[in-house]
Amino acid sequence: MSGLILVSHNQHQSSTLASIYDRILTRRGGLWISWDGKKAPPTSEITRDLSFRHGNDYDTLSFPLTRSEREEGYQGYVHQGLWPVFHQRPDLAHFTPQSMRSYRQLNEVYARAIAEYAMPDDAIWIQDYHFIPVAKMLRDAGLTQRIGLFFHQPFPSGQMFEAIPDWRWLVESLLCCDVLGFQTAQDMNNFLLWIESEFRAERMGKTLFRIHGRLISTGVFPVGIDLNDVLALQESNSCQFMEQQCRERLPENSILSGGHLDDSAGLPYRISAIEVLLRQHNQYAGKVMLLQLASSASGHAHRQQEISHDLENICGEVNGVHGMLNWYPVSYLNHHYGREELAGVYRASRVALVTPLMAGMSLMAKMYAALQDPANPGVLILSQFAGAAEHMDGALIVNPYDPDAIADAIHTALKLPLRERQNRHARLMKNIHLYDCHWWADRFISRLMNEEGESSTQVYQSIVPGAGFSGRARY
């Protein structure tokens, strides 16, 4: 049976996504390749000392990154350049020649690590736009096995993608993949319509096309969560303690608002919605509180300080107008909480505002719903522009740019009778159970390993003989 190599940014990061990768590999086995979270010397060559560890369930391969690769390649090119474009904000994008060079070098480090350890029958599953160039680098190194790339971020329209300087070198790498996965049908269609019109690709089926002699399969694979992970969080002491603290000290109608400190989170609109709610419904004075959780560690470094400052000002204005001596409507917390502690806050919150202006999926929405008590669940308010909105029946869907609409949804959520809340929660959980992280992985990997009957007659025209990263023979 073919092996699986999963490639991601950081396996040591404490996040829902890192937990998902761990759960998938624990069940399937394979090799997880990523940054080890450590710093390489500034003069470090692209070739790194690789740390391989054999585990009981799966193996790991990790390595350090230089400051330039982290700050210019990752924080610079990815966060300041690609991220705004993929989130339909090219006006915020900032690219420099140095950041592009560092991004290329970052990907070369990953490609060399993969090429060093990949076996002939391994399938390579690359996670997200951090590593778009890796596919072509591997092909140029002589690797012929199947490569898949999954976009956790929304995929922009072709015209938007072309706002990236030298965008063609990124597309050349995408066209070296065998499978390209997307969170939503809209994302996939953005890609297919663009490729078909710009590159005159030959459409072989609804989601299959041929270009440069290679068959490339596309698909919609919405990311799910692991319910065993949710159960472990619920049973943790930190979760139970935090839930108890929240229920004892906060108003019964506490509203959870989380997300990254970035320009797509839509946090100012949520805070404005609380002001609208209190102005239109004075019965909530003293009885409702928005918990705005926004750890600086979860944001984009180049915008953290400015966004945090703006949020503090907005919160201060709302609290100044509507607050009382023993109560204020918005609590802005930028402290970093662990996953178990956050789970306790989720369980104690009557409403969750998950209203990004644009998001690939919003796993927070799924975690909130899964952590609720089915006997007395909270209500999820979800942005129409989050990928999760396509299949989370049971949420209240809103326009994240409209504070009045968000305020109305909060009012509706707080008035919903228990039976209606239970009904909505059951509908949410039905899809969360059906489309969990293992469904996501099984569907993508099945396609990647060509288990669905696609033709495997594929030719890559640009393989350069002898261009491998090492002296090892390439199959």
Side-chain angles (χ1 to χ4, degrees):
M1 180 178 177
S2 299
L4 174 68
I5 295 178
L6 187 148
V7 183
S8 76
H9 170 59
N10 186 357
Q11 62 188 240
H12 297 276
Q13 182 181 14
S14 177
S15 68
T16 298
L17 200 53
S19 175
I20 286 172
Y21 296 151
D22 172 74
R23 298 283 176 160
I24 290 168
L25 289 169
T26 297
R27 176 178 291 192
R28 302 186 65 97
L31 174 64
W32 187 355
I33 298 180
S34 79
W35 175 39
D36 62 8
K38 298 178 182 178
K39 302 176 183 178
T43 57
S44 177
E45 299 292 333
I46 294 174
T47 302
R48 300 288 154 79
D49 291 332
L50 304 178
S51 176
F52 176 85
R53 292 185 180 180
H54 178 69
N56 294 329
D57 300 308
Y58 61 88
D59 302 327
T60 62
L61 181 68
S62 59
F63 42 82
L65 295 175
T66 66
R67 179 177 178 179
S68 175
E69 290 159 358
R70 296 189 323 271
E71 296 183 2
E72 294 288 343
Y74 180 67
Q75 292 290 348
Y77 193 86
V78 174
H79 278 177
Q80 297 183 48
L82 296 182
W83 185 92
V85 172
F86 276 68
H87 288 80
Q88 299 190 31
R89 290 298 307 273
D91 57 305
L92 297 177
H94 178 66
F95 295 93
T96 67
Q98 175 59 39
S99 70
M100 181 178 292
R101 285 193 296 271
S102 296
Y103 177 66
R104 189 187 297 270
Q105 181 170 312
L106 169 72
N107 278 267
E108 287 176 354
V109 172
Y110 272 84
R112 286 175 182 270
I114 297 168
E116 185 67 26
Y117 276 81
M119 293 293 102
D121 61 346
D122 286 339
I124 301 168
W125 188 11
I126 301 169
Q127 304 294 328
D128 223 358
Y129 61 174
H130 308 75
F131 310 115
I132 292 175
V134 163
K136 187 174 189 304
M137 291 173 178
L138 293 177
R139 298 304 188 201
D140 287 343
L143 275 72
T144 59
Q145 58 260 74
R146 288 173 68 82
I147 298 174
L149 172 63
F150 181 80
F151 285 101
H152 290 269
Q153 311 300 327
F155 196 88
S157 66
Q159 187 176 25
M160 193 80 67
F161 194 95
E162 292 177 13
I164 301 171
D166 296 329
W167 56 270
R168 288 185 179 275
W169 75 286
L170 295 176
V171 178
E172 287 176 3
S173 190
L174 290 179
L175 299 181
C176 292
C177 295
D178 298 285
V179 181
L180 293 171
F182 303 90
Q183 296 274 26
T184 69
Q186 180 64 59
D187 296 332
M188 183 180 69
N189 289 334
N190 283 344
F191 175 79
L192 287 173
L193 290 172
W194 176 49
I195 290 296
E196 199 169 21
S197 62
E198 181 70 29
F199 297 92
R200 299 184 182 278
E202 180 185 3
R203 188 74 77 96
M204 307 296 291
K206 187 176 181 182
T207 60
L208 184 69
F209 65 94
R210 186 194 303 274
I211 184 167
H212 303 155
R214 172 175 293 277
L215 280 177
I216 300 178
S217 176
T218 62
V220 178
F221 309 93
V223 178
I225 59 175
D226 185 276
L227 291 171
N228 288 328
D229 178 41
V230 172
L231 182 61
L233 290 173
Q234 287 179 348
E235 294 177 346
S236 69
N237 291 333
S238 295
C239 172
Q240 294 174 14
F241 176 77
M242 181 63 79
E243 180 183 1
Q244 180 182 358
Q245 292 292 301
C246 289
R247 294 192 185 280
E248 290 176 354
R249 300 182 181 184
L250 300 177
E252 180 182 0
N253 295 324
S254 59
I255 302 165
L256 171 67
S257 172
H260 298 297
L261 276 177
D262 59 45
D263 292 283
S264 76
L267 303 182
Y269 296 99
R270 305 182 199 181
I271 298 169
S272 297
I274 294 298
E275 194 281 327
V276 173
L277 178 74
L278 293 171
R279 181 160 32 87
Q280 294 181 349
H281 305 280
N282 57 19
Q283 70 267 30
Y284 291 122
K287 299 179 180 179
V288 70
M289 178 179 286
L290 178 73
L291 292 176
Q292 179 55 66
L293 305 180
S295 166
S296 59
S298 68
H300 291 180
H302 65 288
R303 292 280 289 146
Q304 284 179 7
Q305 187 172 356
E306 183 179 350
I307 293 175
S308 181
H309 179 72
D310 290 344
L311 285 178
E312 288 173 0
N313 287 339
I314 297 171
C315 292
E317 291 175 5
V318 174
N319 288 335
V321 172
H322 296 281
M324 302 176 185
L325 210 58
N326 60 346
W327 167 83
Y328 46 91
V330 181
S331 179
Y332 175 47
L333 305 174
N334 57 13
H335 176 73
H336 175 71
Y337 294 96
R339 296 185 68 235
E340 293 85 359
E341 293 174 306
L342 284 175
V345 180
Y346 285 19
R347 284 181 59 80
S349 299
R350 179 72 179 275
V351 176
L353 275 182
V354 186
T355 55
L357 307 181
M358 178 65 63
M361 179 49 60
S362 287
L363 289 174
M364 176 185 173
K366 297 188 177 186
M367 290 298 294
Y368 173 78
L371 283 163
Q372 293 305 294
D373 178 3
N376 185 27
V379 180
L380 173 64
I381 299 175
L382 185 60
S383 165
Q384 68 188 70
F385 301 120
E390 277 198 0
H391 59 275
M392 290 200 74
D393 177 39
L396 297 177
I397 306 299
V398 298
N399 177 353
Y401 291 92
D402 188 348
D404 290 84
I406 298 173
D408 187 57
I410 294 172
H411 180 54
T412 299
L414 294 176
K415 290 193 308 177
L416 283 178
L418 176 60
R419 185 177 296 274
E420 175 65 15
R421 286 190 282 121
Q422 290 172 333
N423 178 268
R424 285 180 173 274
H425 181 256
R427 284 149 55 192
L428 287 169
M429 291 305 299
K430 178 180 178 181
N431 279 333
I432 290 174
H433 276 282
L434 285 174
Y435 307 114
D436 66 0
C437 67
H438 300 292
W439 174 91
W440 170 63
D442 291 345
R443 286 289 302 274
F444 191 98
I445 295 170
S446 177
R447 184 80 64 88
L448 178 59
M449 293 186 172
N450 205 24
E451 296 171 357
E452 298 181 357
E454 291 178 10
S455 171
S456 59
T457 306
Q458 301 176 354
V459 180
Y460 181 71
Q461 303 289 352
S462 303
I463 293 178
V464 181
F469 290 125
S470 71
R472 295 174 61 189
R474 304 310 317 178
Y475 345 120

